[in-house]
Amino acid sequence: MKLNHQPTEQGALRPLRKTLEANEKIFNSVFDSSKLSKVYTEKDAAKYVRVNGKIGMLKEVDTSNWRLQVLRGAGDTLKLTLADIEKLPKVHVIFDFKCIEGWSQVSHWAGVPLKTFMEYYHLNDKEQMKYIGLQTIDKKYYVGIDMPSALQSQTILCYEMNNKPLPMNQGYPLRLIIPVKYGVKHLKQIGTMYFSNEKPPDYWAERGYDYYAGL
Ligand SMILES: Nc1nc2c(c(=O)[nH]1)N[C@H]1C(S)=C(S)[C@@H](COP(=O)(O)O)O[C@H]1N2
Ligand SMILES: [Mo]
């Protein structure tokens, strides 16, 4: 899937750009958001979970200051504490986590389904938009997620791994877990979330990877 030494998608050469547009059409027509990724049991889950990717990762995060910032509109930002998120219904997701670098590992995560989160905070109107954008606290790593994948029932705002708070290097205090996508989309240390009909900037798509990174 990696396109070596290609310019960014926006600046892509015409033939490549056509291919990308075709991929997008195919992806959008075949993706079925009701389809579940295979689920595993707790005993299948790795105890020592791989750590990969440290772009935009802070060494420490003080959750007395940290807030998840949800941009609802101009001058309208919801600012939530970790406790706000932890009190929402929690689901466990045990799935085969796949990285485009070629490894995969069954791992165990928990948090609130993004769909439940959006309903709770009356973001239903945002579900009509095409994409969700996420950025790290320092904004150096960022991804765009198509709305059907974001609303799939196994997509969670995750704050636990193996029944414990997320380790720092695995995204404390909050990360995305989205089993229908490759690892690149599972953004660690979420700072900001927003909604858009345009494709949100995406760190690895800008470097030639497939925008959707779907499985
Ligand atoms: N902030 C941030 N999140 C990130 C990355 C990163 O570099 N920075 N790498 C991604 C990639 S490529 C993978 S495979 C997964 C790895 O998650 P893990 O470290 O919990 O195994 O995190 C994703 N989320
Ligand atoms: Mo990855």
Side-chain angles (χ1 to χ4, degrees):
M1 178 162 66
K2 185 169 184 191
L3 305 165
N4 280 313
H5 311 298
Q6 290 289 1
T8 63
E9 186 184 350
Q10 262 68 31
L13 300 168
R14 257 186 79 79
L16 172 59
R17 169 137 209 108
K18 280 212 160 135
T19 311
L20 290 168
E21 283 165 4
N23 283 349
E24 179 177 339
K25 284 214 185 80
I26 293 164
F27 179 81
N28 286 330
S29 61
V30 298
F31 183 74
D32 175 1
S33 60
S34 62
K35 199 167 158 255
L36 289 182
S37 296
K38 183 172 182 212
V39 290
Y40 293 80
T41 63
E42 241 173 273
K43 67 173 181 4
D44 303 320
K47 286 207 178 56
Y48 302 98
V49 184
R50 270 183 98 131
V51 176
N52 197 54
K54 12 177 224 252
I55 305 158
M57 299 284 290
L58 305 174
K59 294 242 161 18
E60 276 169 66
V61 178
D62 176 359
T63 40
S64 60
N65 299 324
W66 176 88
R67 296 289 181 276
L68 171 65
Q69 306 211 30
V70 184
L71 312 186
R72 289 187 291 198
D76 177 20
T77 302
L78 191 62
K79 292 181 181 165
L80 303 172
T81 63
L82 184 57
D84 290 333
I85 297 161
E86 284 172 341
K87 71 171 191 236
L88 299 175
K90 177 161 91 178
V91 305
H92 290 259
V93 175
I94 305 171
F95 77 109
D96 193 13
F97 192 115
K98 296 188 178 74
C99 172
I100 40 183
E101 286 166 31
W103 55 267
S104 83
Q105 185 179 51
V106 175
S107 47
H108 174 195
W109 312 87
V112 59
L114 193 50
K115 184 165 175 58
T116 307
F117 172 86
M118 290 190 52
E119 277 159 15
Y120 186 86
Y121 282 104
H122 306 294
L123 296 163
N124 309 59
D125 56 323
K126 306 294 186 206
E127 292 183 13
Q128 311 309 317
M129 304 196 83
K130 287 193 180 142
Y131 299 97
I132 292 187
L134 295 172
Q135 299 170 333
T136 50
I137 300 165
D138 71 359
K139 303 193 189 304
K140 290 189 179 146
Y141 191 76
Y142 38 90
V143 300
I145 309 280
D146 59 279
M147 193 60 76
S149 300
L151 298 178
Q152 197 261 17
S153 61
Q154 295 160 304
T155 299
I156 60 173
L157 291 175
C158 165
Y159 50 82
E160 277 180 14
M161 189 189 86
N162 288 339
N163 299 310
K164 295 196 192 78
L166 280 179
M168 209 59 228
N169 56 11
Q170 274 163 321
Y172 181 84
L174 191 70
R175 73 176 298 169
L176 186 70
I177 286 292
I178 180 160
V180 296
K181 302 286 189 190
Y182 277 102
V184 284
K185 296 287 188 182
H186 299 229
L187 186 134
K188 301 187 278 191
Q189 284 188 1
I190 305 174
T192 312
M193 181 191 302
Y194 61 98
F195 310 93
S196 167
N197 280 322
E198 311 301 322
K199 273 186 190 160
D202 186 280
Y203 186 93
W204 283 113
E206 287 171 359
R207 286 157 181 79
Y209 286 79
D210 173 64
Y211 190 89
Y212 291 92
L215 283 162

